[in-house]
């Protein structure tokens, strides 16, 4: 079973992973309510479909007023969004996620998955976030770090350090990111998921 971004972020929030505030919206009226609840000048309107590449396909819009929010919500709801993962027909946008906008200084990639070939849990990390990880793997495999662990109750700090070593973070950010890695692992175990991605 696949879940939408807003559902995944709720799981992360419950596990203690810091995520921006946001609300799902199934209509323009609900998008307006979400905008008002957030009380921020700038928000992000995100199409919710089970596919990557939404930003490149026009499914993610930054707005800074109510009129633009209405316009983008109307434009996205009911639209068939085509990405490299949807096929030529695309997937219909039936829901949106209205999220507070955050400043991005660097984009990173982290995933945690069940590696059936090795019967272990694999973490894949790369400092090349924000773009298709498949493309990075094909063109620059040396920029991807894969670290496998045996299934256990929790990950120790030393293991988390190895998982995020490719990020080249300062001490403060490294400690915060290790906690995120540990929470992501706990979420995978607690929800019986087979893949979690953060980009």
């Amino acid at each position: 079973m696949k879940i939408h971004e807003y559902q995944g972020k709720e799981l992360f929030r419950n596990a203690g992973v810091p995520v921006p505030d946001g609300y799902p919206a199934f209509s323009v009226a609900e998008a307006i309510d979400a905008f008002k609840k957030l009380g921020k000048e700038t928000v992000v309107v995100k199409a919710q479909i089970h596919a990557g590449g939404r930003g490149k396909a026009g499914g993610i819009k930054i707005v800074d007023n109510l009129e633009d929010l209405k316009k983008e919500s109307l434009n996205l709801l009911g639209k068939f969004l085509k990405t490299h993962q949807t096929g030529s027909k695309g997937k219909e946008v039936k829901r949106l996620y209205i999220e507070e906008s955050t400043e991005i200084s660097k984009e990173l990639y982290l995933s945690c998955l069940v590696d059936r070939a090795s019967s272990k849990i694999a973490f894949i990390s790369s400092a090349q976030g924000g773009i298709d990880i498949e493309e990075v793997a094909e063109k620059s495999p040396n920029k991807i770090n894969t670290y496998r662990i045996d299934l256990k109750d929790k990950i120790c700090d030393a293991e988390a350090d190895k998982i995020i070593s490719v990020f080249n973070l300062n001490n403060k950010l490294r400690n915060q990111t290790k906690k995120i890695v540990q929470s992501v692992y706990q979420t995978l175990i607690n929800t019986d998921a087979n893949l979690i991605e953060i980009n």
Side-chain angles (χ1 to χ4, degrees):
M1 177 180 74
K2 293 181 179 182
I3 63 173
H4 291 289
E5 175 189 3
Y6 74 92
Q7 295 165 319
K9 285 187 171 172
E10 188 60 31
L11 288 173
F12 284 151
R13 191 176 285 110
N14 292 338
V17 177
V19 295
D21 286 335
Y23 299 95
F26 294 80
S27 66
V28 175
E30 287 184 8
I32 292 167
D33 285 345
F35 182 85
K36 290 176 179 175
K37 277 191 224 172
L38 287 170
K40 304 288 182 182
E41 286 185 15
T42 305
V43 301
V44 187
V45 181
K46 297 180 170 184
Q48 297 296 283
I49 60 170
H50 293 140
R54 291 171 298 152
K56 285 184 178 179
I60 298 176
K61 301 290 184 181
I62 298 172
V63 299
D64 55 16
N65 61 67
L66 200 52
E67 283 309 309
D68 285 347
L69 175 96
K70 287 180 192 175
K71 177 183 154 193
E72 296 300 347
S73 298
L74 271 170
N75 182 48
L76 285 172
L77 284 168
K79 177 180 181 176
F80 280 81
L81 207 60
K82 296 177 188 175
T83 80
H84 66 285
Q85 292 182 355
T86 63
S88 58
K89 185 182 175 186
K91 290 194 175 180
E92 185 180 2
V93 179
K94 297 179 181 177
R95 64 196 85 194
L96 304 172
Y97 187 48
I98 312 301
E99 183 177 60
E100 67 178 325
S101 179
T102 53
E103 290 293 322
I104 299 171
S105 58
K106 187 176 184 180
E107 292 186 273
L108 308 170
Y109 175 87
L110 174 71
S111 67
C112 176
L113 60 126
V114 176
D115 181 10
R116 299 191 194 291
S118 66
S119 297
K120 293 180 182 281
I121 303 297
F123 277 89
I124 300 170
S125 48
S126 175
Q128 303 294 305
I131 55 176
D132 297 331
I133 198 67
E134 294 90 353
E135 188 179 322
V136 177
E138 186 181 317
K139 295 182 178 177
S140 309
N142 60 315
K143 294 185 176 176
I144 292 182
N145 177 38
T146 302
Y147 186 79
R148 292 175 180 84
I149 60 169
D150 291 316
L151 181 64
K152 54 182 145 186
D153 289 339
K154 60 182 183 176
I155 298 176
C156 69
D157 279 356
E159 289 170 320
D161 257 330
K162 289 176 184 174
I163 291 163
I164 65 170
S165 61
V166 71
F167 295 160
N168 296 316
L169 302 170
N170 63 37
N171 281 341
K172 181 181 176 185
L173 287 175
R174 190 167 63 248
N175 288 333
Q176 289 174 350
T177 308
K178 282 195 290 190
K179 288 178 184 171
I180 290 171
V181 167
Q182 289 161 338
S183 294
V184 165
Y185 177 77
Q186 245 4 94
T187 302
L188 184 91
I189 301 306
N190 294 343
T191 60
D192 198 25
N194 61 13
L195 168 66
I196 293 177
E197 279 186 301
I198 301 176
N199 197 355

